[in-house]
Amino acid sequence: MFDQTPAGLPAAPGVGYKPQHFSDILEDAAPVGWLEIHAENYMGDGGRPLAQLRHLSERFPISVHGVGLSIGGEGPLDPDHLARLKHLVGWLNPASFSEHLAWSSHDSHFLNDLLPLPYTEKTLARVADHIDQVQEVLGRQMLLENPSSYLVFAESTMSETDFLREIARRTGCGLLLDVNNVFVSATNLGYSPVGYIDDYPLDVVKEIHLGGHDEDEDDHGAPLLIDSHGRAVVDPVWALLDETLSRTGPRPLLIEWDTDVPDWSTLRAEAMRAQDALSKVAA
């Protein structure tokens, strides 16, 4: 059985760790209380990246976020990838591990994207089996992140929120709520982001993410948002965060900025805004 109660992340701002910020973080990280890494960047042996990560792990809780397991893929999970992930989680002993509700591989081919799934009973059973396998191998609970969506599958028989609710019930996994993904999907698909939060299983949310997105238009001139993680969080997403936190109370809150990464002062300013949002709902 996996451990459902590992030492969790603090209900504080976190940031995605980038090596160019290493010295700045050690000098003065406040208000940042924890760091996230992408698992696939730390599955090698030795070298400066692992040395820096070991040093940071002595000072900060670490969240490991996977992007390559292909939880929603039709085929079995890659045993080599899972073994490398187990090794990383074993020595690092992170406060949290999470993955995406998406697929990114087919047979031996790996795609540089996180692709969506139809929400059907067949998909539900497959994703639940994969999550059960991950949790048993790692010996811990994992969190599953809601996707950013650009289309709707005609064969879907349930809503995304019902799908996630049932996944959590069947597997005992927790959920990672990405508020920017909610806003992106709601804009692209024409539904209310607050309505989505109304129906989301907030009782099993263990972590919340925020990030920036790019604005574009589809072939008909309608707004199309792209989840890029390449700029500051926009005001409507901060407002949706406030609405969410008013219902959940304080949660670990991550600022994601993975492309066009800014200097530390800019990223830290985003973390300070996240701290302000948490302060509004602090007990």
Side-chain angles (χ1 to χ4, degrees):
M1 286 294 292
F2 66 87
D3 179 7
Q4 293 201 44
T5 56
L9 297 168
V15 296
Y17 170 64
K18 299 296 181 289
Q20 59 263 45
H21 297 149
F22 179 73
S23 297
D24 291 314
I25 289 171
L26 291 181
E27 182 176 342
D28 186 4
V32 172
W34 56 281
L35 302 171
E36 181 199 81
I37 62 162
H38 287 174
E40 288 73 15
N41 292 335
Y42 294 91
M43 287 185 174
D45 294 322
R48 178 176 293 180
L50 289 183
Q52 290 183 340
L53 178 57
R54 289 181 187 275
H55 188 69
L56 291 169
S57 70
E58 296 172 357
R59 298 186 55 173
F60 298 93
I62 304 293
S63 171
V64 173
H65 191 50
V67 296
L69 268 178
S70 198
I71 287 287
E74 289 192 353
L77 299 178
D78 179 1
D80 291 335
H81 188 103
L82 193 52
R84 291 193 297 271
L85 178 62
K86 180 180 180 180
H87 176 71
L88 171 63
V89 169
W91 72 258
L92 182 59
N93 191 26
S96 178
F97 170 73
S98 56
E99 250 285 358
H100 293 264
L101 177 59
W103 63 278
S104 57
S105 64
H106 182 69
D107 295 331
S108 61
H109 301 287
F110 289 86
L111 307 172
N112 190 29
D113 209 345
L114 296 169
L115 301 171
L117 302 166
Y119 298 132
T120 65
E121 183 58 40
K122 180 180 179 181
T123 307
L124 183 66
R126 181 174 70 247
V127 172
D129 285 347
H130 286 169
I131 291 174
D132 284 340
Q133 182 182 357
V134 172
Q135 292 183 143
E136 289 298 325
V137 168
L138 298 185
R140 61 169 58 216
Q141 184 186 50
M142 66 164 279
L143 309 184
L144 187 66
E145 178 180 350
N146 58 295
S148 50
S149 298
Y150 308 93
L151 54 84
V152 175
F153 286 90
E155 62 263 45
S156 290
T157 58
M158 64 187 80
S159 69
E160 184 171 284
T161 50
D162 284 344
F163 187 93
L164 288 164
R165 180 179 292 103
E166 182 61 14
I167 284 288
R169 188 192 70 80
R170 291 192 188 188
T171 67
C173 76
L175 296 181
L176 189 167
L177 176 58
D178 190 311
V179 175
N180 183 64
N181 287 0
V182 173
F183 185 80
V184 165
S185 299
T187 301
N188 291 341
L189 303 181
Y191 60 80
S192 165
V194 174
Y196 182 98
I197 297 299
D198 285 341
D199 197 44
Y200 197 88
L202 296 173
D203 56 312
V204 290
V205 169
K206 300 290 185 70
E207 189 177 327
I208 295 175
H209 281 193
L210 289 170
H213 58 255
D214 292 334
E215 298 182 5
D216 205 338
E217 293 182 351
D218 65 17
D219 293 339
H220 304 286
L224 178 67
L225 304 185
I226 308 298
D227 181 33
S228 63
H229 297 177
R231 59 183 59 204
V233 180
V234 298
D235 287 343
V237 173
W238 285 113
L240 186 60
L241 172 69
D242 288 340
E243 178 68 29
T244 302
L245 290 175
S246 72
R247 306 177 190 204
T248 64
R251 289 289 187 277
L253 182 53
L254 182 81
I255 299 295
E256 293 185 283
W257 202 320
D258 297 322
T259 61
D260 296 325
V261 178
D263 60 22
W264 176 246
S265 63
T266 301
L267 189 60
R268 185 181 182 188
E270 289 286 276
M272 292 178 71
R273 192 164 180 181
Q275 180 59 61
D276 289 342
L278 288 169
S279 298
K280 295 176 187 175
V281 295

